[in-house]
Amino acid sequence: MWDIMITIFVICAVVLLWVILFDTNRFVVRRHSVCNPKILKSCRAVVLSDLHNKKYGKDNAILLSAIRDLQPDIILIAGDMVTSRKKAPTEDAVKLLYQLSEEFPIYYGVGNHEHRLFHKAEKYGSVGTDYLSALAEKEIVPICNSSKEIAECNIRIWGLDIEGTYYERFQSKTMDVDYVKGLLGEPDATCFNILLAHNPDYFPVYAGWGADLTVSGHVHGGIVKVPFVNKGFISPTFALFPKYDGGVFYEKDAQMVLSRGLGTHTLPVRVFNPGELWCVEFTPQE
């Protein structure tokens, strides 16, 4: 009896280890379409989120090939391309962004890891300023509480950089629409407004502010996608089965594309939860 139980345990452990190794080192392509009368010209975006300086193949050749195959018009970044650690490496993320910038316009929204690097030099040293300087060499400028317009499409892309207290663990700080307005001002109601907002927990607030489409990341899909339940297990705030774990969500007329991200940090584990590369099609509605 014990021999059978030990054998079953070993088999399960081996299978779980294989799943972890497999899912932690692969990504899948997800697609979503947005049709809206404010959009004047079709546009295709590829969404990158939570890469955390990870590489898929030598010099990210596998990831680059997948992006090129999708033939995007623009790249949307929902934050955390690097990891906030003192002397943390950023070279792989910089090299990827350099290569992408040669082919596509990049709209870079920051995550909590960039926020720490940019605002806490006393803790992380020059990592943040060095990263910004490297990006500036290719004219890649993170959108921090400002916006950029794609005039021919009538699309305005906003980047929201919220305070670190909205990312703290073991709690969920309340956010209201006035806070977002204080950072961004009023949205342009005549444009289709895309909001790059790393933390998806506040999606109803983003929708209330006026975001037609929110693009988020941060949750890494809940690390473990529980079979049959099809939900992520845990959020960065250590909330179990978070409401926003990955996929497309709706709040009245507003939508959110929530990427499960491409990399990992701290716990380098994904279970039944591969990385995601999103392709979003924007088309006019007649």
Side-chain angles (χ1 to χ4, degrees):
M1 181 67 178
W2 280 107
D3 289 344
I4 295 174
M5 292 181 65
I6 291 171
T7 300
I8 293 173
F9 175 80
V10 170
I11 291 172
C12 290
V14 170
V15 170
L16 180 60
L17 179 60
W18 182 87
V19 169
I20 290 172
L21 292 172
F22 184 57
D23 281 349
T24 306
N25 293 286
R26 72 184 180 106
F27 63 89
V28 296
V29 175
R30 308 287 189 202
R31 298 176 183 269
H32 182 59
S33 296
V34 177
C35 186
N36 190 282
K38 290 190 284 188
I39 300 170
L40 299 182
K41 180 182 176 182
S42 294
C43 176
R44 178 181 298 159
V46 160
V47 176
L48 303 178
S49 178
D50 299 274
L51 183 68
H52 289 289
N53 213 49
K54 184 177 176 61
K55 288 194 298 184
Y56 287 95
K58 180 177 173 57
D59 295 329
N60 262 312
I62 296 172
L63 180 57
L64 279 166
S65 177
I67 294 171
R68 288 169 178 146
D69 286 347
L70 292 169
Q71 299 181 320
D73 298 297
I74 60 173
I75 304 293
L76 300 177
I77 294 176
D80 284 5
M81 294 295 283
V82 293
T83 301
S84 56
R85 289 199 301 266
K86 194 171 184 179
K87 298 183 179 179
T90 60
E91 294 82 3
D92 293 327
V94 169
K95 186 177 291 187
L96 172 66
L97 291 168
Y98 276 13
Q99 291 173 296
L100 290 173
S101 70
E102 296 291 333
E103 303 176 49
F104 315 105
I106 295 175
Y107 298 87
Y108 192 147
V110 304
N112 55 308
H113 284 261
E114 286 100 349
H115 179 90
R116 291 174 195 152
L117 292 177
F118 297 162
H119 297 282
K120 294 187 176 182
E122 71 281 0
K123 181 175 181 179
Y124 300 106
S126 65
V127 177
T129 53
D130 291 345
Y131 183 54
L132 283 172
S133 296
L135 295 181
E137 289 186 17
K138 293 292 184 178
E139 299 183 352
I140 304 170
V141 181
I143 309 173
C144 296
N145 297 329
S146 59
S147 67
K148 294 183 178 181
E149 185 181 12
I150 306 176
E152 65 270 24
C153 299
N154 198 41
I155 290 174
R156 182 169 289 276
I157 301 171
W158 302 77
L160 181 65
D161 183 17
I162 58 177
E163 297 172 35
T165 53
Y166 288 98
Y167 292 105
E168 289 182 0
R169 296 172 179 172
F170 304 108
Q171 62 175 322
S172 181
K173 183 177 178 180
T174 301
M175 180 189 293
D176 57 35
V177 173
D178 287 339
Y179 174 76
V180 178
K181 286 182 180 179
L183 295 176
L184 300 178
E186 295 284 351
D188 185 344
T190 65
C191 291
F192 184 85
N193 292 289
I194 300 174
L195 180 64
L196 304 177
H198 186 64
N199 190 342
D201 288 351
Y202 302 103
F203 171 47
V205 178
Y206 307 150
W209 168 77
D212 297 297
L213 175 72
T214 298
V215 180
S216 298
H218 188 52
V219 184
H220 295 201
I223 300 177
V224 177
K225 184 186 282 188
V226 181
F228 308 112
V229 178
N230 200 34
K231 287 289 293 180
F233 177 62
I234 192 167
S235 77
T237 60
F238 290 92
L240 298 181
F241 302 105
K243 177 179 180 180
Y244 303 119
D245 57 343
V248 179
F249 298 88
Y250 297 88
E251 188 76 25
K252 296 183 179 178
D253 293 332
Q255 304 179 37
M256 176 171 68
V257 168
L258 172 54
S259 172
R260 292 180 171 87
L262 286 159
T264 61
H265 71 91
T266 309
L267 290 176
V269 171
R270 285 179 176 270
V271 184
F272 307 117
N273 177 41
E276 289 185 340
L277 184 67
W278 277 85
C279 179
V280 183
E281 298 272 2
F282 299 96
T283 57
Q285 183 182 52
E286 295 183 5

